[in-house]
Amino acid sequence: MIISLELDSETPLYEQLRNQIVIGIAMGTLAEQERLPSVRQLAEDLGINTMTVNKTYALLKQEGYIVIDRRHGAKVAPRAAVGQEPTEQLTHQLQLIIAQAAIQGVDQSRFQTLCGQIFAKMAYQT
Amino acid sequence: MIISLELDSETPLYEQLRNQIVIGIAMGTLAEQERLPSVRQLAEDLGINTMTVNKTYALLKQEGYIVIDRRHGAKVAPRAAVGQEPTEQLTHQLQLIIAQAAIQGVDQSRFQTLCGQIFAKMAYQT
DNA sequence: TTTTATGTATTATATATACTAATACAAATA
DNA sequence: TATTTGTATTAGTATATATAATACATAAAA
């Protein structure tokens, strides 16, 4: 899996890394139960500090996206059951995005189409 | 317009304030051309510093959500033309949210329904 | 003209966060 | 035993956040 970090971005490195791994899981680039690189390996590959990667892994673990076994390292968590209700946090994030879209002049049908296109790229549920 | 800030949140105050104003504009709580409170007034009402509010206004101005006239203060910007294409930034934000939703087990139809419900609350385009 | 209110700029301070660095530890495998 | 795993600790530096106290230019209102 290819990861590219922007060192001059306002988004913290550990958060950029977290986001790209989440998208990787959803798109199937990282398969279920697949093992992630070790914190040392990934830190070396990306040219960043070990503790920054560790912070990302701790965050992903706390959010339930990965599972950490001291024996085998970090793995992608088993799939959740389908048909779940959206989290309140997710609903709030979506509300903010839709508010911005509406103000910027993106109408609902265009927005829904975009959602469909993005969902089509997510191999997680198929 | 009612604004509530969480002082113990991880989200900076100026960003919380910015988000609530954006949602207020989209939902029609803040009408087009409507004048926002002065930075001093809003800072006093919320019990925060003047410069924090000023930072929010500067951000909203830079993003095009409000217009600032030195004579009359800050106003909600005129409406954008409808039928605009989604920004690349907006697309990326949406991609991340959909990735999280997919992993959490929210299927596409449920997600689309939620989008529709949120859009229905946005009085901006109607 | 004077007063008032607007956003904005400046300077300073305190606190929290982000990132790096160098070690070290417990656990488990080869 | 040696190696690899995530994790903890301690330290240092840089940046971001928020507050505080003033001050300024602009323009409306008295």
Side-chain angles (χ1 to χ4, degrees):
Chain A
M1 180 185 176
I2 300 171
I3 291 176
S4 57
L5 300 179
E6 294 182 33
L7 297 175
D8 59 340
S9 169
E10 298 175 12
T11 310
L13 295 176
Y14 79 92
E15 202 173 324
Q16 292 184 46
L17 185 54
R18 176 263 181 198
N19 292 344
Q20 295 197 34
I21 291 176
V22 167
I23 292 178
I25 294 174
M27 294 183 63
T29 313
L30 288 170
E32 187 184 7
Q33 305 277 29
E34 181 172 336
R35 183 176 169 184
L36 299 176
S38 72
V39 291
R40 291 173 179 80
Q41 182 66 52
L42 188 51
E44 188 182 357
D45 290 352
L46 298 175
I48 62 177
N49 193 272
T50 309
M51 298 313 295
T52 305
V53 178
N54 184 69
K55 187 169 184 177
T56 299
Y57 279 18
L59 178 60
L60 288 166
K61 172 188 174 185
Q62 187 228 325
E63 294 177 315
Y65 292 117
I66 66 175
V67 176
I68 292 176
D69 184 351
R70 197 181 289 271
R71 298 173 297 182
H72 303 100
K75 290 181 185 176
V76 177
R79 293 171 184 242
V82 288
Q84 297 294 314
E85 274 299 298
T87 312
E88 188 177 356
Q89 186 192 13
L90 190 138
T91 305
H92 273 101
Q93 289 177 2
L94 185 58
Q95 184 190 35
L96 182 58
I97 284 197
I98 290 180
Q100 293 172 178
I103 298 176
Q104 290 170 13
V106 180
D107 53 73
Q108 181 174 352
S109 66
R110 181 66 188 91
F111 190 87
Q112 298 274 29
T113 302
L114 181 59
C115 289
Q117 291 169 340
I118 294 174
F119 255 105
K121 293 192 292 184
M122 303 297 166
Y124 189 82
Q125 293 193 350
T126 59
Chain B
M1 180 186 176
I2 300 173
I3 290 175
S4 57
L5 300 179
E6 295 182 31
L7 297 176
D8 59 340
S9 169
E10 297 175 12
T11 309
L13 294 177
Y14 78 92
E15 201 173 326
Q16 292 184 47
L17 185 54
R18 176 263 182 199
N19 291 344
Q20 296 196 34
I21 291 176
V22 168
I23 291 177
I25 294 174
M27 294 182 64
T29 313
L30 288 170
E32 188 185 8
Q33 303 278 29
E34 179 172 337
R35 184 175 168 185
L36 298 176
S38 72
V39 290
R40 291 173 180 81
Q41 183 67 50
L42 188 51
E44 188 182 358
D45 290 351
L46 298 175
I48 62 177
N49 193 272
T50 309
M51 296 314 294
T52 305
V53 177
N54 184 69
K55 187 168 184 177
T56 299
Y57 279 18
L59 178 60
L60 287 166
K61 172 188 175 185
Q62 188 228 324
E63 294 177 316
Y65 292 117
I66 66 176
V67 176
I68 292 177
D69 184 350
R70 197 182 288 270
R71 298 173 297 181
H72 303 100
K75 290 181 185 176
V76 177
R79 295 172 182 239
V82 288
Q84 297 295 316
E85 274 299 298
T87 312
E88 189 177 356
Q89 186 190 13
L90 190 139
T91 305
H92 274 102
Q93 290 175 1
L94 185 59
Q95 184 189 37
L96 183 57
I97 284 196
I98 290 179
Q100 294 172 176
I103 298 175
Q104 290 170 13
V106 180
D107 52 72
Q108 181 175 353
S109 66
R110 180 68 188 89
F111 190 88
Q112 299 272 29
T113 302
L114 181 59
C115 288
Q117 291 169 342
I118 294 174
F119 255 105
K121 293 193 293 184
M122 303 299 165
Y124 189 83
Q125 291 193 352
T126 59

